[in-house]
Amino acid sequence: MRKLSSPLSWFCFLKYFSVTSSSSSTPVSSPADKQDEKPGAVEESRKTQRKPGGWKTMPYILGNETFERLATFGLLANFTVYLLKQYHMDEVFAANVMNIWSGTVNFAPLIGAFLSDAYLGKFRTLAYASLFSLLGMVAITSTAMVPALRPAPCSTELQQQNQCSGPTAAQLGFLYLALGFLTVGGGGIRPCSMPFGTDQFDSTTEEGRKGINSFFNWYYFTFTIVIMISLTLVVYIQDSISWAWGFGIPTILMFCSIILFFLGMRVYVYIPPEGSVFSGVVQVFVAAYKKRKLRLPSSQEQPGALYDPPMKGTLISKLPLTQQFRVLNKAAIIAHGEVQPDGSRSNQWSLCSIQQVEEVKCLIRVVPIWASCIICFTAMAQQWTFTTVQALKMDRHLGPKFQIPAGSLMIISMITIGLWLPFYDRVLVPALRRVTKQEGGITLLQRIGIGMVFAPVSMVVAGLVEKKRRSSAISHARPDGMAPISVLWLAPQLVLMGFAEAFSNIGQIEFYYKQFPEQMRSMANALFFCTLAGSNYLNSLVVTMVHLITGKHGQPKWLDNNINAGRLDYFYFVIAALGILNIIYYLICARYYHYKGITEVEGDNVEVVVQPNSPKKKPHRELEIS
């Protein structure tokens, strides 16, 4: 699995997912499939499934996950430093390589999820993706071991003067090929790793549900350990011993991960591909376009004029018909011959159910909130590029002998999140709940908004610290350009960014999870990755524009190769200004956001849940109708 915009985002993702995902761990077919199933088909399918392997499969799955995460995070946790020191890239080019590659990796799970759900299944997707990840890691390790695959070594004096030879086209091509393999691997591993683990438990039994909860707890625990090892031990080996060993050890671990994964083949449960929810979304737009000239029925005519079949199978969150984006309601208008005698549809691309239409509306409502989160994540992305560059020009010594690796500083944000989340969950939320009467203490939109405030504040602090660092470096004028101030001056901005992630990331994941019906929760997870991808691309665009616009009329470029000659502090202030404008946009979106309504169907009982249209209103009411 690949990093998001940072491993900290995975930290937030898993922390929340360990609490929420157990409720939806059962594999779910696409909405269209569920509504068109013949009675008893689901039960028959259950009988033919293999008995869940449960904890017998966990040594293979958790072992595979632990080795794989340690391998990939260890490989790239310090990759920006590798590009700067070994490939002699300038800071802007290295930042763009990382941002564009990270954005591509974060979009790849959309494709991986589609292929897994529609064609390959989780096991085969994981198997192929793991092999591609191994190929990518072998290629990256080769660049450190084979001198011909990277630029010639350069003396410290030439590095300080920015006179080192950069990579050739062939060397860059090989590096991009390696990153491409890792992209394919990440696109398959991310959407399938956790669902494949939960597939091994029977969620219809109490023992199975307990097993799922324990699986997520162990998954989260091993992930935390991996992050700490990657940001400390592996980064230290890369910086202080050898890049070849620093990359080679994770690659060996990745190979062990694949071996362990295949050793468990005899005990795994294999859920066949059941169709992708993405096709259902496209069907709504196609059907609505085909019927764009039809008149929408009145409220009295709707019960017989719109396709609304009963939901089949397990508990389904059924959405009531709404008039928002009502043009899409035309996709559910029943034309002559479109419904067969058994109630199923003759053509899924001409007729969609009310449930499908409302699911698409949920997606459309979320998009403005999703867009506002991109700029927030753009601020977070800076700590993995330019914060590392700052650290390289500061005093990183702790004591006379030990020097903190620049890539290890991000552990400050992780520690902040790890200390804050238990306090927030166990102390602050119960206190807020008594005051606000909200189940979560505050609404999800409020939680996201708080994170959006922390992000620009962190950038302002980062700019002030950079101004101090630059002034110190210029006044001392050391040959190596180092500022004789402690690297721990960067801690405040990393702490603030940790709070931004703790509020915004987890709030966003929970928001998507609760605002999408359960059939679309895989899309909810994919949407979170798309936020990260968008932030990576936006960050690359901003970096490129700033680099092109500044540096005219004899003034230095803000993002100069020599950080002391540039004005990185101004760049941070620009990101902060974008964050402030984004907060205004977000407040408008949150003010007019309409929460979904739910009609939950289970057996003969119907539970109607009316959710508020504004976060300021009281929590939803629940009415039970027999």
Side-chain angles (χ1 to χ4, degrees), residues 411-462:
I411 201 171
I412 294 175
S413 290
M414 190 187 73
I415 293 173
T416 301
I417 297 171
L419 294 177
W420 170 252
L421 288 179
F423 172 79
Y424 177 82
D425 188 59
R426 300 299 179 184
V427 179
L428 191 57
V429 168
L432 289 172
R433 188 182 295 131
R434 290 192 291 270
V435 176
T436 64
K437 309 303 180 185
Q438 291 280 349
E439 182 181 357
I442 55 177
T443 67
L444 294 176
L445 292 177
Q446 288 170 345
R447 185 172 186 178
I448 296 172
I450 292 173
M452 289 188 175
V453 172
F454 273 110
V457 171
S458 173
M459 287 292 96
V460 171
V461 172

Side-chain angles (χ1 to χ4, degrees), residues 47-287:
K47 291 177 182 178
T48 59
Q49 286 181 0
R50 184 176 180 178
K51 183 178 179 181
W55 284 107
K56 291 187 298 183
T57 64
M58 289 305 103
Y60 305 103
I61 293 178
L62 287 176
N64 165 262
E65 288 295 323
T66 301
F67 282 140
E68 191 273 333
R69 288 194 302 268
L70 182 59
T72 50
F73 282 132
L75 186 73
L76 293 178
N78 206 27
F79 202 61
T80 298
V81 177
Y82 182 67
L83 295 180
L84 293 173
K85 289 188 174 182
Q86 300 297 315
Y87 272 76
H88 313 314
M89 293 183 182
D90 61 54
E91 296 165 8
V92 172
F93 189 64
N96 283 337
V97 168
M98 291 301 296
N99 286 321
I100 293 173
W101 174 76
S102 296
T104 305
V105 169
N106 286 317
F107 270 126
L110 284 174
I111 301 175
F114 173 78
L115 292 175
S116 172
D117 292 345
Y119 300 105
L120 298 177
K122 301 182 189 71
F123 173 81
R124 289 188 357 188
T125 303
L126 284 170
Y128 295 147
S130 297
L131 293 174
F132 273 102
S133 288
L134 179 62
L135 287 175
M137 297 178 70
V138 169
I140 292 291
T141 304
S142 299
T143 64
M145 298 180 65
V146 181
L149 295 177
R150 65 180 189 277
C154 189
S155 66
T156 304
E157 293 76 13
L158 291 177
Q159 286 184 8
Q160 293 169 1
Q161 298 172 12
N162 297 314
Q163 295 181 359
C164 299
S165 299
T168 65
Q171 290 167 343
L172 274 180
F174 188 83
L175 177 67
Y176 294 157
L177 177 65
L179 295 178
F181 284 142
L182 291 174
T183 299
V184 175
I189 291 173
R190 275 190 193 174
C192 300
S193 59
M194 285 184 288
F196 184 69
T198 59
D199 284 349
Q200 311 309 312
F201 298 93
D202 184 0
S203 62
T204 62
T205 66
E206 183 177 356
E207 181 182 359
R209 288 190 292 269
K210 290 180 179 178
I212 291 172
N213 289 332
S214 295
F215 167 74
F216 282 114
N217 290 334
W218 279 102
Y219 197 101
Y220 169 71
F221 172 76
T222 57
F223 175 82
T224 306
I225 299 300
V226 163
I227 287 292
M228 298 185 70
I229 293 175
S230 298
L231 292 179
T232 53
L233 180 60
V234 176
V235 170
Y236 179 78
I237 293 173
Q238 293 170 348
D239 270 6
S240 305
I241 299 177
S242 165
W243 285 103
W245 277 108
F247 289 157
I249 292 174
T251 302
I252 294 172
L253 291 176
M254 184 66 201
F255 179 75
C256 296
S257 168
I258 294 175
I259 296 298
L260 194 61
F261 180 68
F262 283 108
L263 285 176
M265 289 180 61
R266 292 180 299 175
V267 292
Y268 292 149
V269 169
Y270 303 93
I271 304 298
E274 299 174 312
S276 174
V277 70
F278 297 103
S279 59
V281 173
V282 177
Q283 287 170 4
V284 171
F285 288 106
V286 172

Side-chain angles (χ1 to χ4, degrees), residues 239-367:
D239 270 6
S240 305
I241 299 177
S242 165
W243 285 103
W245 277 108
F247 289 157
I249 292 174
T251 302
I252 294 172
L253 291 176
M254 184 66 201
F255 179 75
C256 296
S257 168
I258 294 175
I259 296 298
L260 194 61
F261 180 68
F262 283 108
L263 285 176
M265 289 180 61
R266 292 180 299 175
V267 292
Y268 292 149
V269 169
Y270 303 93
I271 304 298
E274 299 174 312
S276 174
V277 70
F278 297 103
S279 59
V281 173
V282 177
Q283 287 170 4
V284 171
F285 288 106
V286 172
Y289 178 77
K290 288 180 177 179
K291 298 179 177 179
R292 63 190 182 281
K293 296 182 180 180
L294 297 182
R295 180 186 64 85
L296 281 170
S298 63
S299 56
Q300 293 79 15
E301 298 171 328
Q302 285 176 0
L306 300 181
Y307 186 60
D308 189 22
M311 307 301 289
K312 304 292 184 181
T314 57
L315 176 68
I316 297 296
S317 298
K318 191 170 185 179
L319 303 174
L321 182 68
T322 64
Q323 297 305 309
Q324 193 178 23
F325 312 118
R326 61 197 306 263
V327 67
L328 295 178
N329 294 351
K330 292 184 177 182
I333 297 177
I334 302 175
H336 178 70
E338 288 187 331
V339 178
Q340 298 177 356
D342 61 359
S344 62
R345 295 170 291 178
S346 58
N347 187 346
Q348 296 180 356
W349 294 91
S350 297
L351 178 63
C352 298
S353 66
I354 291 176
Q355 175 75 8
Q356 280 181 275
V357 172
E358 290 301 320
E359 287 171 356
V360 174
K361 290 182 182 180
C362 286
L363 178 61
I364 295 174
R365 293 187 192 105
V366 165
V367 167

